[in-house]
Amino acid sequence: MLNKIPKYSFQILLLLLFASFPYACAFTQSSSSANDSVFMFCYFKNNGEDGLHFASSKDGYNWNALFNDSWVLKPLVSKDKLMRDPCIIRGKDGRFHMVWTVSWNDKGIGYTSSADLLHWSPQRFLPVMQNEPATKNTWAPEISYDDKKGFYIIYWASTITNRYPQKDTAAEGKYNHRIYYTTTKDFKNFSQTRLLYDPSFSVIDATIQKDNGRYVMFLKNETRHPVEKNLHVAFAKNITGPYSQPGKSITGDYWAEGPTAIKSGNEWIVYFDKYTLHQYGAVSSTDLVRWKDISDEVHFPEGTRHGTVFKISGEEFQKLKNGKAAE
């Protein structure tokens, strides 16, 4: 057909096509900016009495509190009714699923879900350690999704009295934690609780990310004497392990806990709570081996405590920002 088009007509057609390119690119960029993703950070303040807080960021470095840093969801379950260490992920079903620490000393965790981060399902107490009567605590639960097997894994730190005896000087008082887990496909039926990670020391605050076919666990060494209180990385081929022995500390000469990680481009950023200094810190890496402390470059709302980072779309963010939390 092209052979039948007059030469001058073909040249005009080409000019029209090239002239339209800048407008097409401008339209694409405009549409993209309207739907750019936003980093969200869910966290608690003080002891977790008032509930869930949100902050947002476009670059992962500068974080701004939403709703004047007031709570968006009040804790209702367990005897203590706390909402510490919140973890939110977007599920395969499109909903946001959240778990949290409900008490300093209990055998379960809190769970709820939401379609818009404002209106939440009735809060439930999940008795994940009910079959271990000697359990002292159930701390810092997290959720990850295993797309290989199509289930969610919920994992947390617990101390079971005399399960892993060691010298009193090594652990934190009466606590000697290991990481345990359960799996679910629907948040209604759960597998039997099992041990996920035992690095041969007291460990808390595990969080798992997928990276190029392997799984990366960021964790806290809770050893008090000789003092550790720092963050490490371990790896596994499967989300349920076995995980490697942790590498050397990735944080500095301060006490750190509550890691949460994102990968932006080729840069990993791990945020954490410098809880004795009442500050939030971060380290970055491009290879998960060499780490740079960027704590002076990140800025969080005052009083931010152990939280989790996740992404939402620009459209979802606008609806959230313009919305009102349910009473």
Side-chain angles (χ1 to χ4, degrees), residues 63-82:
W63 296 85
N64 299 299
L66 272 65
F67 309 114
N68 295 316
D69 206 14
S70 64
W71 60 269
V72 296
L73 180 67
K74 292 192 70 66
L76 300 175
V77 298
S78 89
K79 58 183 179 181
D80 291 339
K81 292 184 174 58
L82 299 179

Side-chain angles (χ1 to χ4, degrees), residues 85 139-140 142 156-157 179 203-207 218-220 231 256-259 306:
D85 320 316
W139 287 356
E142 297 247 346
W156 61 90
I179 305 299
V203 56
I204 65 172
D205 296 351
T207 183
F218 302 95
L219 57 108
K220 179 191 179 186
L231 304 184
E257 68 180 12
H306 183 162

Side-chain angles (χ1 to χ4, degrees), residues 46-203:
N46 300 313
N47 193 37
E49 312 94 330
D50 68 335
L52 179 69
H53 291 253
F54 281 142
S56 66
S57 174
K58 292 292 290 184
D59 60 7
Y61 281 74
N62 299 287
W63 296 85
N64 299 299
L66 272 65
F67 309 114
N68 295 316
D69 206 14
S70 64
W71 60 269
V72 296
L73 180 67
K74 292 192 70 66
L76 300 175
V77 298
S78 89
K79 58 183 179 181
D80 291 339
K81 292 184 174 58
L82 299 179
M83 191 167 277
R84 298 173 60 89
D85 320 316
C87 171
I88 295 176
I89 70 164
R90 189 196 301 274
K92 186 179 179 181
D93 56 2
R95 292 183 65 82
F96 297 97
H97 298 274
M98 182 173 80
V99 290
W100 69 94
T101 303
V102 298
S103 169
W104 284 98
N105 296 287
D106 211 329
K107 294 180 176 62
I109 60 177
Y111 167 77
T112 184
S113 69
S114 173
D116 59 6
L117 299 173
L118 288 171
H119 304 89
W120 296 85
S121 65
Q123 296 174 34
R124 292 160 52 197
F125 179 80
L126 304 182
V128 293
M129 294 298 285
Q130 64 180 347
N131 293 328
E132 294 284 358
T135 299
K136 288 187 174 295
N137 63 315
T138 310
W139 287 356
E142 297 247 346
I143 310 174
S144 297
Y145 185 71
D146 184 355
D147 52 11
K148 291 182 181 179
K149 297 185 177 179
F151 61 60
Y152 300 92
I153 175 173
I154 304 174
Y155 46 101
W156 61 90
S158 285
T159 291
I160 302 176
T161 303
N162 297 325
R163 180 63 55 87
Y164 297 98
Q166 60 181 213
K167 295 178 181 178
D168 291 341
T169 56
E172 181 72 45
K174 62 183 179 179
Y175 296 109
N176 188 7
H177 317 271
R178 297 299 185 272
I179 305 299
Y180 296 87
Y181 79 98
T182 182
T183 63
T184 182
K185 292 186 175 182
D186 55 12
F187 294 95
K188 296 177 182 177
N189 301 289
F190 300 87
S191 69
Q192 179 181 351
T193 292
R194 293 182 173 88
L195 177 69
L196 178 62
Y197 194 48
D198 172 19
S200 299
F201 56 74
S202 185
V203 56

